[in-house]
Amino acid sequence: MKTILTVIGKDQTGIIAGISQKLYELNINILDVSQTIMDEYFTMIMLLDLSKINATFDEVKNTLVLTGEQLKVKVNIQREEIFDAMHRL
C-alpha cells in the first residue's frame, strides 16, 4: 500500500531525522520526498510504501502522529487512493 505523508511546522533541527528514523523502525520505505522551508516553516511531503509493515495502518498513523507531536510538527498520513480521489474533484 502506498501512502502520502505530510509534515508541517516551525523549522527546527531534527525533523527529518526524527520522521525518517520512525519510518525505518516501522519498516516503511520512502519512495519519494519533497521538502522546503517557507519563511520559517518546514514542509515535507513523502510518498511511502507500507507493504512490509508489521502493524495496522491505524497503528502506523497513531505512531507517526505521536512522533510529530514530540517533534512539535503536524503529521498527516493518507492512503494514496484517498489522496488521489480527493484531488480529482
Side-chain angles (χ1 to χ4, degrees):
M1 161 188 8
K2 290 183 183 175
T3 62
I4 307 295
L5 178 82
T6 59
V7 180
I8 301 172
K10 274 249 201 215
D11 187 33
Q12 63 179 337
T13 304
I15 298 171
I16 296 171
I19 297 294
S20 298
Q21 177 63 36
K22 189 55 66 177
L23 294 174
Y24 169 77
E25 291 170 9
L26 293 166
N27 203 29
I28 296 173
N29 189 33
I30 300 169
L31 301 174
D32 200 358
V33 62
S34 175
Q35 66 179 38
T36 191
I37 306 293
M38 296 182 350
D39 197 10
E40 59 191 58
Y41 292 94
F42 174 83
T43 63
M44 179 168 61
I45 300 173
M46 292 179 159
L47 176 62
L48 305 173
D49 177 6
L50 275 64
S51 64
K52 296 183 181 178
I53 61 172
N54 295 321
T56 68
F57 178 79
D58 287 337
E59 290 170 334
V60 167
K61 182 177 182 175
N62 291 336
T63 299
L64 291 171
V65 167
L66 286 173
T67 300
E69 289 172 2
Q70 293 168 351
L71 295 169
K72 298 182 178 139
V73 294
K74 173 78 173 153
V75 173
N76 186 41
I77 186 169
Q78 295 178 326
R79 289 180 173 92
E80 183 183 39
E81 61 269 14
I82 294 172
F83 185 85
D84 287 344
M86 287 175 42
H87 292 88
R88 271 189 233 133
L89 300 176

